Amino acid sequence: MEPVEETADSGKKSEPENLELQEDPTYVNPLLKPALTGNVEQIQQIFEDPEDPDHEKATQLLMEKDIIGRGLLFATCMAGQSNIIQALARYGVDLKEKTSRGYTLLHCAAAWGQLETLKTLVELEADIYATTFRGEKARDIACRYEQAVCVNFLDWAEAKQNLQNLISQIQATVTDPEKVQGRLNKEDKNVSLKACQAKLDWLENTKEPTRLDFMDQKQQLEDIMLPIFTKLSAPRLQDSVVNKKATVPSGEH
């Protein structure tokens, strides 16, 4: 699914359009019906049963796209078949695929108000930051089509992802000698890693955290890390010495 774009002379909100996988109206992808009806068993049979007539071309069928790059999963998201998405994820489908205009599966699910599908895609690590050619994230698409529940979920998911990203960034930075370059001592590293572990424990053990909870935890971590980030952003002493020498005019040594 790729939402229909507004024409220049139309002030009306557009409706999401239907997916047609092939230009040939007589062609039907064998995976399409079980995908749209939630028939996981038939999907599994096509992929796993060597005797199935469509087995050998199962991956090819899964990857078929129309002229603007919409594949089978876009129709599945439109129909809200989360169980099919979970099943197909095991067969190597790219859940971060985009159409020619940058629409992702998350954009599709958001436009059609498929909350459970959004949750499934986020759990499977679809990119919530991905934008269309207009710079719209899935959350923006949900707003455009007035899918308030989806907007709220995507705000929650992004707040969680922002906290997780900060934790990963800190862990990767303080354990990388190239990035640290002698600016941090052992205590700085221990403080950083302990703070990250505390937030990971919070993520694992907190039941039903809210968007504000994630934001608060992120702010706490940023406050702990502020003096350490300050050290990391400062030039190394040896760099300062080298730069100082470089500014001294020749003949003044």
Side-chain angles (χ1 to χ4, degrees), residues 145-247:
Y145 289 106
E146 300 179 1
Q147 305 290 359
V149 177
C150 293
V151 172
N152 291 336
F153 169 73
L154 289 167
D155 282 341
W156 177 91
E158 185 165 344
K160 180 180 180 179
Q161 188 66 59
N162 288 343
L163 173 58
Q164 292 173 320
N165 288 348
L166 178 60
I167 293 170
S168 297
Q169 176 193 349
I170 293 169
Q171 290 174 322
T173 299
V174 301
T175 57
D176 185 342
E178 289 296 319
K179 294 179 180 178
V180 172
Q181 293 187 333
R183 295 181 179 92
L184 303 182
N185 57 36
K186 186 175 180 180
E187 182 181 356
D188 293 328
K189 294 178 183 179
N190 287 338
V191 168
S192 301
L193 295 176
K194 282 182 65 177
C196 288
Q197 188 59 53
K199 297 310 174 191
L200 288 172
D201 292 342
W202 180 87
L203 281 166
E204 182 176 352
N205 298 319
T206 304
K207 295 182 178 179
E208 299 183 2
T210 67
R211 171 174 171 263
L212 292 178
D213 288 334
F214 291 127
M215 295 173 67
D216 182 55
Q217 292 295 315
K218 181 174 179 285
Q219 185 62 58
Q220 290 178 24
L221 185 54
E222 288 174 340
D223 291 343
I224 293 171
M225 293 300 300
L226 180 59
I228 296 172
F229 286 151
T230 301
K231 286 186 178 183
L232 285 171
S233 63
R236 293 183 303 168
L237 179 60
Q238 65 189 71
D239 292 338
S240 299
V241 172
V242 170
N243 291 336
K244 195 171 184 179
K245 287 182 178 179
T247 58

Side-chain angles (χ1 to χ4, degrees), residues 10-219:
S10 172
K12 296 182 180 180
K13 182 182 68 177
S14 59
E15 295 295 332
E17 66 176 330
N18 290 328
L19 179 74
E20 295 179 2
L21 291 174
Q22 296 286 332
E23 294 179 345
D24 180 0
T26 65
Y27 173 82
V28 178
N29 186 319
L31 288 174
L32 185 58
K33 183 176 179 179
L36 295 181
T37 58
N39 192 334
V40 174
E41 292 77 12
Q42 188 174 350
I43 293 286
Q44 290 173 335
Q45 177 178 317
I46 292 173
F47 275 90
E48 299 175 13
D49 184 359
E51 301 300 321
D52 188 281
D54 297 309
H55 174 72
E56 291 187 1
K57 57 181 179 179
T59 300
Q60 177 186 340
L61 293 171
L62 185 59
M63 300 303 174
E64 281 183 1
K65 292 179 172 62
D66 66 9
I67 194 170
I68 57 174
R70 298 170 302 185
L72 180 78
L73 277 179
F74 281 84
T76 307
C77 286
M78 183 177 69
Q81 294 294 354
S82 302
N83 57 338
I84 296 295
I85 294 169
Q86 289 172 327
L88 290 175
R90 296 197 294 269
Y91 302 118
V93 68
D94 182 9
L95 295 175
K96 296 181 181 180
E97 65 174 299
K98 292 185 174 186
T99 69
S100 58
R101 290 191 168 190
Y103 289 93
T104 67
L105 301 174
L106 279 174
H107 288 100
C108 173
W112 288 88
Q114 298 293 1
L115 178 61
E116 292 307 312
T117 301
L118 282 177
K119 290 180 178 179
T120 296
L121 290 169
V122 169
E123 288 173 2
L124 293 171
E125 300 183 353
D127 185 4
I128 61 175
Y129 304 108
T131 58
T132 68
F133 76 112
R134 290 185 167 190
E136 293 177 306
K137 295 185 292 188
R139 188 239 188 235
D140 302 317
I141 295 293
C143 280
R144 176 138 65 96
Y145 289 106
E146 300 179 1
Q147 305 290 359
V149 177
C150 293
V151 172
N152 291 336
F153 169 73
L154 289 167
D155 282 341
W156 177 91
E158 185 165 344
K160 180 180 180 179
Q161 188 66 59
N162 288 343
L163 173 58
Q164 292 173 320
N165 288 348
L166 178 60
I167 293 170
S168 297
Q169 176 193 349
I170 293 169
Q171 290 174 322
T173 299
V174 301
T175 57
D176 185 342
E178 289 296 319
K179 294 179 180 178
V180 172
Q181 293 187 333
R183 295 181 179 92
L184 303 182
N185 57 36
K186 186 175 180 180
E187 182 181 356
D188 293 328
K189 294 178 183 179
N190 287 338
V191 168
S192 301
L193 295 176
K194 282 182 65 177
C196 288
Q197 188 59 53
K199 297 310 174 191
L200 288 172
D201 292 342
W202 180 87
L203 281 166
E204 182 176 352
N205 298 319
T206 304
K207 295 182 178 179
E208 299 183 2
T210 67
R211 171 174 171 263
L212 292 178
D213 288 334
F214 291 127
M215 295 173 67
D216 182 55
Q217 292 295 315
K218 181 174 179 285
Q219 185 62 58

